Amino acid sequence: MKRYISFLLAVLMLATLVPSTALADSGTADMKASNDLKILIKYWEGASLKAYKAHPSEKYWTIGYGHYGSDVYEGMEITAEQADAYFEQDIVQFETAANRTIAKYGLTASQNVFDALVSLAYNFGPNWVEANTGWRLARYIQSNFKDSYGNRIPDLEIADAFAVLCSAGGDILPGLVKRRVNEAEIFLYGNYNTALTNFVTVTIDANGGAVNGNRVVAYNKDKPYGSLPTATRQGYSLDYWKDSDTGAVLTGSTVAEKSRYITAVWSGGDAPATYKLTVSGGEGSGSYAEGAKIRLVPTPSSGKAFVRWDVTGAAAALGSDGYYYITMPASDVTAVAVWRDVCQLGDKCPTKNFTDNPVTYWAHSDIDSVVSSGLFKGTSDTTFGPDIVMSRCMLITVLYRLEGSPDVTGYENRFNDVDTEGYYYNALLWGSHNNISNGYSDGRFAPDDQLTREQLVTFLHRYANYKGYNTDVYADIGGYADASDVSPFARESMCWAIGAGIVNGIGNNTLSPQGSALRAQVAAMFNRFAGGMT
């Protein structure tokens, strides 16, 4: 018995040597976000299956349920299942951060407190508490929600500390206001219902003045406001606040039954002279007083990247939020957005190293497609050669790649002028074996001869029949000025190619059947062919 008691005393002594924070870590390390919270985060974030930037100043792109980082790129698209996978992957680091915060600052390790901290970390990053000590909410967490006298911070003050964290680039985002108050409800009361039952907010428009405090303020729902925000404006006095939507006058006795926008109503003062700002290619146009600071917002344009603002009458300065600002002089100003063309695939453009396939080139997308699919290769590491005339062996090689480069063992070489070591040899064996690439009557294939447009459509027509595609889409070519120039062997194929939309005339109502086929033209035809055959 004595030895048993001595053992118990030893255990108790050992326990006194273990830091309390270590015990806290062991108690909260396995906490996980509840399903209720996961549903809410997905509701707040929304699922975007295409990459976007929530704000131009952001370094990286975002996709799915707020997945953000260097692995997301412009033009990226994912499935709903991949969005769910990213979400489950991402939330782990924020669960870890919430566990660490609870242990570090001795917070109550309840599910609702944990869930609120996970949601905040999901929005602001895993180290947001330590990185933003100027935020009231961060300071309250660090003090375990106690004031300097050790008293508990009132619930309304905590909700207000949540609510003010709702802006991006200086703009109040209504969705974030609602999310912050939802998080406060979860944190304080374990209420996961998005219908706010304890708090509402006012979002303030100072109407030319300056708010004394924050532009968003939380109030107890269904109780009188008590005191409304204060604001100042040089040369004016604040008469009252009105509901921005209804115009109703608001006072301290008005019941805060819902969240609303409020606008200051002023009296006195002389209206200052205003000057016109005209913005082309973006937002910011209007009439402004001298000294007014106006943000210029370029309007996004598909396939374009913003370069700069060309401003006449003033200067545009880059702000910390990533936007340019103009300080109005005592004169009119114009601002024009300057853009440059960019590939829709962004950094994933397969021909970005080809100097002869700029994004402005008419066949840029077609060339991207045939290069990414492996049908065409560059003529060097930095060139595609769009204006190089295709040869007959080049085309049959492309068709062979399209077919997946099948085995040609046992196939007969029917021609007397081909190089058995040539890059095209296997392709030629396959093509002739399947009656796609036939030669001339004298036994030649003439692999290096220039490919004509009528030969091109003939090869494509034979390949389509070989694949069993529906080729019953013929068009009458008699209306073309040079229809009589089409060779007899190619007439049916030319009618099919025109009817299928694979080949178009080249101007002056001509087909140019004997004309040469350029690599860029063939790339475009292959894309039409691949997109129209069934």
Side-chain angles (χ1 to χ4, degrees):
M1 178 61 72
K2 288 182 180 179
R3 282 184 295 175
Y4 176 72
I5 293 174
S6 298
F7 173 74
L8 289 177
L9 289 172
V11 170
L12 290 172
M13 291 175 65
L14 179 61
T16 63
L17 299 177
V18 179
S20 59
T21 54
L23 292 175
D25 282 340
S26 65
T28 62
D30 293 329
M31 289 193 75
K32 301 292 183 183
S34 68
N35 286 331
D36 286 338
L37 179 72
K38 290 183 177 181
I39 292 171
L40 276 180
I41 291 178
K42 288 184 175 182
Y43 165 75
W44 291 325
E45 294 286 345
S48 176
L49 302 184
K50 186 172 182 179
Y52 67 96
K53 278 195 175 182
H55 192 270
S57 62
E58 291 187 343
K59 180 178 181 181
Y60 299 119
W61 293 77
T62 301
I63 204 166
Y65 296 103
H67 179 74
Y68 172 84
S70 58
D71 59 332
V72 184
Y73 53 86
E74 183 178 1
M76 178 178 177
E77 295 186 14
I78 60 174
T79 64
E81 291 75 16
Q82 288 172 311
D84 286 332
Y86 273 132
F87 176 77
E88 293 297 336
Q89 166 193 310
D90 291 343
I91 203 168
V92 172
Q93 63 174 310
F94 305 121
E95 291 171 331
T96 301
N99 278 310
R100 184 176 63 247
T101 298
I102 287 175
K104 184 174 182 178
Y105 300 112
L107 305 181
T108 302
S110 61
Q111 186 65 55
N112 59 298
V113 169
F114 178 78
D115 280 350
L117 292 173
V118 170
S119 182
L120 289 165
Y122 199 101
N123 207 181
F124 298 132
N127 300 310
W128 75 273
V129 176
E130 291 75 21
N132 299 282
T133 55
W135 294 0
R136 274 184 296 154
L137 186 57
R139 296 198 303 271
Y140 290 164
I141 289 174
Q142 292 172 336
S143 67
N144 197 0
F145 294 90
K146 302 287 180 63
D147 64 18
S148 57
Y149 298 101
N151 300 314
R152 164 81 175 177
I153 303 292
D155 286 0
L156 179 59
E157 171 61 19
I158 293 174
D160 190 71
F162 271 86
V164 299
L165 304 179
C166 59
S167 64
D171 294 329
I172 301 297
L173 303 183
L176 277 185
V177 176
K178 192 173 189 307
R179 175 172 179 169
R180 291 290 92 86
V181 181
N182 285 164
E183 290 166 344
E185 294 268 343
I186 294 171
F187 180 85
L188 292 167
Y189 311 120
N191 176 21
Y192 292 81
N193 190 334
T194 56
L196 307 183
T197 57
N198 291 280
F199 307 106
V200 293
T201 60
V202 295
T203 302
I204 304 164
D205 175 5
N207 193 21
V211 179
N212 299 328
N214 295 303
R215 290 178 292 164
V216 174
V217 181
Y219 290 91
N220 288 308
K221 185 180 180 183
D222 294 330
K223 294 183 179 179
Y225 284 115
S227 63
L228 289 166
T230 60
T232 58
R233 183 178 177 185
Q234 187 174 3
Y236 293 80
S237 60
L238 179 62
D239 277 356
Y240 58 90
W241 294 96
K242 68 177 182 179
D243 186 303
S244 301
D245 294 326
T246 67
V249 176
L250 305 175
T251 68
S253 60
T254 302
V255 174
E257 81 284 5
K258 65 178 182 178
S259 293
R260 52 169 46 100
Y261 287 79
I262 66 173
T263 302
V265 179
W266 306 94
S267 62
D270 296 323
T274 59
Y275 304 92
K276 187 176 181 181
L277 170 60
T278 303
V279 179
S280 177
E283 302 173 10
S285 293
S287 295
Y288 304 96
E290 180 184 4
K293 188 176 182 181
I294 302 96
R295 184 173 65 178
L296 302 177
V297 181
T299 302
S301 179
S302 178
K304 303 284 186 179
F306 176 74
V307 178
R308 66 181 185 277
W309 289 102
D310 281 349
V311 180
T312 303
L318 183 63
S320 59
D321 59 0
Y323 289 105
Y324 282 86
Y325 287 81
I326 286 176
T327 300
M328 282 298 290
S331 58
D332 293 344
V333 176
T334 60
V336 178
V338 178
W339 305 84
R340 63 177 173 85
D341 292 304
V342 294
C343 179
Q344 297 284 359
L345 300 177
D347 290 339
K348 298 295 182 179
C349 175
T351 64
K352 63 183 179 181
N353 294 327
F354 291 161
T355 58
D356 54 1
N357 187 40
V359 70
T360 53
Y361 188 58
W362 69 270
H364 178 87
S365 296
D366 291 315
I367 294 172
D368 277 352
S369 179
V370 296
V371 169
S372 65
S373 62
L375 297 181
F376 280 62
K377 297 179 181 179
T379 54
S380 73
D381 290 340
T382 58
T383 58
F384 176 78
D387 296 325
I388 292 176
V389 176
M390 287 278 287
S391 64
R392 287 163 57 84
C393 65
M394 284 182 184
L395 180 66
I396 195 59
T397 300
V398 172
L399 286 171
Y400 181 59
R401 291 171 184 162
L402 180 62
E403 188 60 17
S405 301
D407 182 39
V408 294
T409 301
Y411 287 7
E412 176 188 0
N413 175 15
R414 302 174 180 176
F415 307 110
N416 57 28
D417 64 340
V418 297
D419 180 3
T420 58
E421 300 298 324
Y423 72 90
Y424 58 82
Y425 186 66
N426 285 350
L428 193 56
L429 292 181
W430 166 81
S432 62
H433 180 80
N434 292 291
N435 294 317
I436 295 170
S437 53
N438 299 326
Y440 297 101
S441 59
D442 60 1
R444 293 180 304 113
F445 180 74
D448 296 321
D449 279 5
Q450 292 185 355
L451 178 73
T452 65
R453 286 166 61 85
E454 67 177 12
Q455 290 173 353
L456 167 62
V457 298
T458 301
F459 284 170
L460 288 178
H461 191 201
R462 291 172 182 166
Y463 178 74
N465 286 322
Y466 159 75
K467 294 293 291 182
Y469 296 147
N470 177 21
T471 58
D472 190 19
V473 285
Y474 297 101
D476 182 5
I477 63 174
Y480 287 94
D482 58 351
S484 61
D485 293 341
V486 179
S487 300
F489 77 85
R491 180 167 290 273
E492 180 184 359
S493 297
M494 186 66 76
C495 292
W496 163 78
I498 294 294
I502 296 169
V503 172
N504 301 317
I506 62 171
N508 297 322
N509 195 35
T510 59
L511 292 169
S512 187
Q514 308 302 325
S516 56
L518 306 181
R519 280 167 58 87
Q521 294 172 337
V522 177
M525 291 180 194
F526 260 85
N527 278 332
R528 295 180 200 135
F529 175 79
M533 292 296 97
T534 57

